[in-house]
Amino acid sequence: MAKQVTFKTIFPAVSVPLNDDFSINEKEFRVYLRWLKSFYDKGIKGLVCNGHTGEITGLTRAERKRVTEICAEECGDIMTIISGVNCENTQESIEMAREAKEAGADGILLMPPHMWLRFGMNPNAPFEYIKDVAEGADIDIIIHLYPATSKAFYPVETLIKMCKEIPHVKCIKVGTRVTAIYEHDVRELRKHCPDISLITCHDETLCVTWFTGMDGALIGFAGCVPELITGAWEVFSHPEKHTLKEAQDWSNKIYPISQAIYGGGQPSGEAHARLKETLAQRGIFKSALMRKPVLPLDQEEKDWVAEGIKLSGLGKVDMSKYE
């Protein structure tokens, strides 16, 4: 099967299993990736490593590169491999993007420098940042759009400028999380940048955000319950073949496990811990261990996850088939 790099698909943001000493469990990680790869024909044609779900801020720079290498080795023959870049300065962002490329990534998910979240930013800084990294690393980019309520949000005019003037910008991970602004900006981007892929990252309101006619999703959820996500995506990506009732039915299947993991709020460190607990309870990971400062779940939270798994009709996964 010849590989076709695509930015219009479901991208699971993959979790990383850990050993008891908090080192990366590479063997289990490979098995997990092979399992996700088995959903290729159902709509998962790419994956993202080193996202927030993959605990990027808890990994060293060397570990981020190693995680990318493993993803490329296991899935890069047919799947589009994207690696997250999270850094506070332009030069090191370029270096990390080059390392991702060397490790086998087809593109990067470029997050805003987090100092912007605290202090805000010069309105021209986001464009210059994306442009400098794109040119410095010569790699394609998914722009990570942070919530409209944050100081690191990129206005739609800035996004349009990025899409039109930076050839390496191929996709926007639309994480607006304010519905009116989300719909407005998607419509504006469709009008002015029709060739750019627009994908949702709203794990907690996935089906709602698909109603605007998106090109896919980049969500940790897809690396946890891919059977539900791909089933729903078949309906939303082919509306001419399906009914509104089918879309509502899939949304209802997803809702209990969504509530168990995200609790109605957007993804966070604690939500990622509940997602990893879901992977453990389903038999995909042997451990739900997270690196500090994220703390272990208490029994009430674990029971909450178990109830969500049950209500969404999810079962154990036989991972022996992928070993």
Side-chain angles (χ1 to χ4, degrees), residues 8-46:
K8 297 183 178 184
T9 190
I10 302 298
F11 287 101
V14 298
S15 298
V16 178
L18 302 176
N19 295 305
D20 289 343
D21 63 357
F22 295 96
S23 63
I24 294 171
N25 187 330
E26 291 196 7
K27 181 179 178 181
E28 189 168 78
F29 189 42
R30 289 180 184 276
V31 174
Y32 169 58
L33 293 172
R34 290 175 208 145
W35 174 61
L36 290 177
K37 190 177 182 180
S38 72
F39 288 88
Y40 180 88
D41 289 333
K42 295 181 179 179
I44 294 179
K45 301 190 185 302

Side-chain angles (χ1 to χ4, degrees), residues 225-243:
V225 292
E227 344 48 338
L228 295 184
I229 305 307
T230 54
W233 179 237
E234 163 60 27
V235 173
F236 280 91
S237 61
H238 297 97
E240 73 283 357
K241 298 180 181 178
H242 299 281
T243 65

Side-chain angles (χ1 to χ4, degrees), residues 175-186:
T176 314
R177 289 188 162 82
V178 176
T179 302
I181 299 174
Y182 177 90
E183 181 173 354
H184 171 270
D185 289 1
V186 167

Side-chain angles (χ1 to χ4, degrees), residues 21 27 34 61 73 82 103 164 232-233 251 271 300 312 319:
D21 63 357
K27 181 179 178 181
R34 290 175 208 145
R61 185 164 158 179
E73 289 167 5
I82 306 295
K164 285 181 172 291
W233 179 237
S251 183
E300 183 179 0
S312 284
M319 299 301 286

Side-chain angles (χ1 to χ4, degrees), residues 95 126 149 220:
E95 293 170 9
T149 52

Side-chain angles (χ1 to χ4, degrees), residues 33-196:
L33 293 172
R34 290 175 208 145
W35 174 61
L36 290 177
K37 190 177 182 180
S38 72
F39 288 88
Y40 180 88
D41 289 333
K42 295 181 179 179
I44 294 179
K45 301 190 185 302
L47 60 83
V48 172
C49 59
N50 298 318
H52 290 129
T53 303
E55 299 173 73
I56 182 173
T57 55
L59 300 178
T60 67
R61 185 164 158 179
E63 286 174 328
R64 296 178 193 185
K65 184 173 183 180
R66 181 59 183 153
V67 164
T68 308
E69 287 174 341
I70 294 170
C71 290
E73 289 167 5
E74 292 295 337
C75 302
D77 55 331
I78 60 171
M79 299 176 79
T80 300
I81 307 298
I82 306 295
S83 179
V85 170
N86 167 248
C87 186
E88 293 304 288
N89 67 84
T90 297
Q91 185 54 44
E92 194 173 14
S93 297
I94 292 170
E95 293 170 9
M96 289 183 182
R98 288 174 177 168
E99 289 173 356
K101 188 175 179 179
E102 290 168 5
D106 299 296
I108 60 169
L109 170 66
L110 188 53
M111 305 171 191
H114 282 180
M115 63 179 174
W116 291 349
L117 289 169
R118 174 68 177 84
F119 301 109
M121 60 201 178
N122 182 302
N124 297 319
F127 176 83
E128 294 296 324
Y129 179 60
I130 301 291
K131 180 175 181 290
D132 288 345
V133 175
E135 293 178 351
D138 187 25
I139 193 168
D140 288 342
I141 290 175
I142 297 177
I143 293 172
H144 195 318
L145 182 63
Y146 275 25
T149 52
S150 78
K151 293 181 180 180
F153 177 70
Y154 305 158
V156 71
E157 296 80 11
T158 299
L159 292 171
I160 291 169
K161 181 177 173 64
M162 291 173 178
C163 294
K164 285 181 172 291
E165 298 183 26
I166 307 173
H168 274 303
V169 171
K170 304 296 184 184
C171 177
I172 301 172
K173 175 184 176 182
V174 187
T176 314
R177 289 188 162 82
V178 176
T179 302
I181 299 174
Y182 177 90
E183 181 173 354
H184 171 270
D185 289 1
V186 167
R187 289 176 182 273
E188 287 297 297
L189 287 160
R190 288 291 189 215
K191 183 193 302 182
H192 296 286
C193 312
D195 296 330
I196 296 295

